[in-house]
């Protein structure tokens, strides 16, 4: 257990260093990186597509990097908004890391980009532990997932600067308890804003874009102080096995707490 926890801390610390470097580099280029996290089927891609389209209409220079284990379906969907979009395939890994983002930005990101959206892999566990160099982390959840999800995934919701509730047109049919959901969000992330959205009607799309642009313009992004990486997940790097001085647990193994 001790060795596993030490490995987790070392890998996450290395990622944090790379993320800090990337954040600084993007800041010098006046680029705001927005990291979008959710479980599969939350409606993240559809909402992002609408946000990109609104930004393009307003002539805000935006771009999107979308991650999946396989297929380029999401990139094709997002490209309809008219913004530069690139697909990142993780080849089976269930999260993104800062090194992957940095590598895929080389030679691709347009110089005038003001906001870069990174659509993370659909997963509320692993991605929550990895800083991608973002200025703003948005966690999305559909009403069909149940109001207790913030308590089940405290790292994801607790590390959010903004929480977006999606598919609100289905709330009544799903028996969704909005008051309980907000209470659960407050329990793990006091003070964070919750935005209601519905991609079908466009509700909340402008609000999400406005919150992103406010952070781009210098408004502080709310997030309470957290203990570093309360739940760490470590996987084999996509570019091959770790070196002897940088061991990794078996892929998809959950690191245990320090003893």
């Amino acid at each position: 257990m001790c060795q596993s926890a030490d490995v987790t801390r070392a890998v996450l610390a290395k990622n944090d260093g790379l993320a800090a470097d990337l954040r600084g580099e993007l800041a010098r280029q006046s680029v705001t990186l927005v990291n979008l996290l959710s479980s599969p089927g939350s409606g993240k891609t559809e909402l992002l597509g609408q946000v990109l389209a609104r930004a393009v209409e307003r002539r805000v220079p935006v771009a999107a990097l979308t991650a999946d284990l396989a297929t380029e379906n999401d990139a094709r969907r997002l490209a309809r908004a008219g913004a530069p979009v690139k697909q990142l395939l993780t080849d089976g890994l269930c999260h993104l890391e800062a090194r992957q983002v940095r590598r895929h930005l080389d030679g691709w990101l347009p110089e005038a980009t003001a906001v870069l959206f990174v659509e993370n892999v659909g997963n509320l566990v692993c991605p929550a532990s990895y800083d991608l160099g973002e200025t703003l982390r948005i966690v999305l959840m559909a009403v069909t997932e149940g109001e207790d999800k913030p308590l089940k995934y405290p790292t994801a919701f607790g590390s959010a600067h903004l929480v977006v509730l999606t598919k609100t047109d289905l709330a009544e049919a799903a028996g969704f308890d909005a008051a309980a959901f907000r209470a659960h969000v407050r329990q793990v992330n006091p003070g964070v804003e919750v935005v209601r959205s519905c991609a079908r009607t466009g509700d909340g799309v402008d609000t999400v874009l406005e919150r992103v642009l406010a952070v781009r313009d210098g408004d502080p992004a709310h997030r309470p102080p957290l203990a570093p990486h309360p739940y760490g997940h470590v996987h084999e790097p996509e570019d091959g096995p770790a070196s002897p001085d940088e061991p990794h647990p078996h892929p998809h193994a959950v690191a245990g707490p320090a003893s």
Side-chain angles (χ1 to χ4, degrees), residues 1-9 229-233 253-259:
M1 283 295 187
C2 288
Q3 182 179 5
S4 180
D6 289 344
V7 168
T8 297
R9 282 193 290 268
H229 309 299
Y231 302 93
H233 277 61
V254 181
S259 58

Side-chain angles (χ1 to χ4, degrees), residues 102-150:
R102 178 67 185 83
R103 187 169 68 250
H104 282 78
L105 293 182
D106 280 342
W108 170 74
L109 188 66
E111 290 185 6
T113 302
V115 180
L116 170 65
F117 292 91
V118 176
E119 183 182 17
N120 218 311
V121 179
N123 183 347
L124 282 175
V125 182
C126 307
S129 295
Y130 288 84
D131 183 357
L132 301 184
E134 69 258 30
T135 302
L136 182 66
R137 176 177 289 197
I138 301 178
V139 174
L140 304 91
M141 192 202 87
V143 297
T144 51
E145 297 178 62
E147 56 275 348
D148 61 342
K149 284 298 180 292

Side-chain angles (χ1 to χ4, degrees), residues 28-89:
R28 290 188 290 275
Q29 300 173 32
S30 299
V31 178
T32 298
L33 194 157
V34 181
N35 184 8
L36 302 175
L37 279 71
S38 78
S39 59
S42 68
K44 177 169 76 266
T45 303
E46 184 62 29
L47 182 64
L48 175 56
Q50 292 197 26
V51 170
L52 291 173
R54 299 286 175 88
V56 170
E57 288 174 5
R58 295 172 56 171
R59 299 189 177 181
V60 178
V62 294
L65 185 65
T66 180
D68 264 314
L69 278 68
T71 83
E72 296 189 358
N73 294 346
D74 286 353
R76 285 192 287 268
R77 291 172 60 191
L78 293 176
R80 298 171 191 161
V85 177
K86 184 178 183 182
Q87 183 75 54
L88 191 165
L89 296 180

Side-chain angles (χ1 to χ4, degrees), residues 2 17 75 79 131 156 162 167 177-178 187 196 199 212 223 226 230 240-241 255:
C2 288
D131 183 357
L162 180 69
K167 302 185 181 183
D177 188 336
Q187 189 172 333
R196 293 173 56 87
V212 170
R223 185 161 72 184
L226 296 174

